[in-house]
Amino acid sequence: MHQLNAGTLLHAALDAAARGWHVFPLRPGSKQPALHGADRCRNTGDCSDGHRKWEQRATTDPRRIVPCWETGAANVAIATGPSGLVVVDLDVAKEKGSSGTPDGVTFFLALCERAGQPWPDTYTVRTPSGGMHLYFTAPPGTHLTNTAGKLAPLVDTRAWGGYVVAAGSLIDSAAYEVTAPWRVAELPAWLRGALAETPKSGAPSAIAPPRNASRRAQVALERERAAIEAAPEGKREETLFKAARSMGRFVAWGDIARHVVEEAFQVAGEAAGLKAYECRSTLRSALNWSIRTARPREAQ
Ligand SMILES: [Zn+2]
């Protein structure tokens, strides 16, 4: 059986780094970053020139990795953006008992069939909850960011702004395991095309949302994202719900695209320790409610 073994996790971190993947520590047995947040920054070390978040602190340097893992049993995260990776994250449906409930694998298979493409042969990791991570290299010259449910239900992608838990990490003593040790394939053109498509706006707004979020919406998004990441246990779902509700009016006004809010908060919620499906359903219901009940801007 798997044991919480610091040596094994150090190995996992060094293995990932040897592949050129930028790693950072997660709290033992969890998916939450073990690094301090902006609110607790003391501007020392990595942060001497200002706070740096996990994406910037992730490293491939063994001299920085070894001290991080030799003292504890931190799980290993791979920051997908700097690693040049796009990881397709196939989640499982909430009710595990009912075998009829389609999961991310089923939806992704349907996506492949519709595109007339085979299931991609690439480095694959199975997650403890029964999900699957398909690793791809990001095509040169692209700057893809996270998506949540854009390709299909229960099919997310992690790129810039995201991370995945690396093989060898443990949740409730169940490991992330490599199930297909193939080399990492380049993101297939058909998937890249599907990710590049302009999303259909979820907002019932007559005005097309602007390409870039308004300054106020962007500031609000960052503030709410920080609140989600810093939420203590027992308050996380509530914080996520409130954050999504407060952003809904900006979506309704066309100040920010719904998928931008969903993708940012999905990652933040998971980083805070919520399950992927919990984040997804909380975000959906909070945004739906907020968009439906938003007042015109003048009335605010
Ligand atoms: Zn800092």
Side-chain angles (χ1 to χ4, degrees):
M1 275 315 291
H2 302 285
Q3 288 173 345
L4 218 54
N5 182 324
T8 311
L9 287 157
L10 170 61
H11 226 93
L14 291 172
D15 273 359
R19 290 173 174 266
W21 298 341
H22 293 236
V23 298
F24 65 92
L26 299 172
R27 290 185 202 154
S30 91
K31 300 203 276 187
Q32 296 167 257
L35 306 171
H36 66 263
D39 52 332
R40 297 242 178 102
C41 191
R42 288 184 294 171
N43 296 114
T44 55
D46 276 353
C47 300
S48 52
D49 293 327
H51 180 66
R52 295 171 76 206
K53 58 180 275 180
W54 48 262
E55 187 165 74
Q56 300 155 311
R57 292 176 65 185
T59 182
T60 58
D61 184 353
R63 287 166 303 178
R64 294 182 58 205
I65 292 169
V66 171
C68 240
W69 270 275
E70 66 186 357
T71 51
N75 270 341
V76 181
I78 299 167
T80 35
S83 303
L85 289 172
V86 178
V87 175
V88 175
D89 176 7
L90 307 177
D91 205 2
V92 284
K94 194 172 182 174
E95 305 104 46
K96 278 186 194 149
S98 52
S99 54
T101 316
D103 56 13
V105 171
T106 312
F107 283 116
F108 189 70
L109 195 57
L111 201 66
C112 293
E113 279 171 6
R114 206 180 318 142
Q117 299 289 338
W119 184 276
D121 284 342
T122 193
Y123 178 92
T124 304
V125 171
R126 191 180 58 222
T127 74
S129 61
M132 211 181 260
H133 290 166
L134 307 175
Y135 284 51
F136 298 100
T137 57
T142 56
H143 189 91
L144 296 166
T145 52
N146 299 320
T147 64
K150 179 172 184 180
L151 291 173
L154 300 170
V155 179
D156 300 343
T157 61
R158 302 284 190 241
W160 282 100
Y163 64 87
V164 286
V165 184
S169 301
L170 299 159
I171 307 264
D172 298 332
S173 25
Y176 285 75
E177 281 180 308
V178 179
T179 53
W182 284 298
R183 69 177 190 86
V184 178
E186 185 172 298
L187 185 71
W190 69 274
L191 270 174
R192 179 184 167 180
L195 287 172
E197 270 172 32
T198 314
K200 297 172 200 89
S201 173
S205 166
I207 312 147
R211 226 180 113 69
N212 297 310
S214 79
R215 175 92 189 116
R216 274 184 64 192
Q218 195 63 47
V219 167
L221 184 77
E222 287 310 318
R223 188 185 57 229
E224 299 295 346
R225 191 215 305 259
I228 297 165
E229 284 176 353
E233 205 168 348
K235 288 275 180 196
R236 289 170 189 153
E237 197 148 11
E238 183 189 330
T239 308
L240 182 67
F241 191 83
K242 282 184 181 161
R245 262 176 56 162
S246 80
M247 289 306 295
R249 60 199 167 117
F250 292 110
V251 176
W253 295 340
D255 284 353
I256 193 166
R258 177 175 178 141
H259 74 97
V260 172
V261 177
E262 281 176 333
E263 283 149 20
F265 288 2
Q266 181 76 28
V267 171
E270 287 183 47
L274 289 169
K275 299 229 183 322
Y277 67 77
E278 293 172 335
C279 296
R280 206 172 281 118
S281 64
T282 300
L283 284 170
R284 191 185 307 123
S285 57
L287 280 170
N288 285 350
W289 180 87
S290 179
I291 291 166
R292 203 172 54 237
T293 57
R295 293 178 191 179
R297 191 194 300 270
E298 297 73 41
Q300 295 293 313

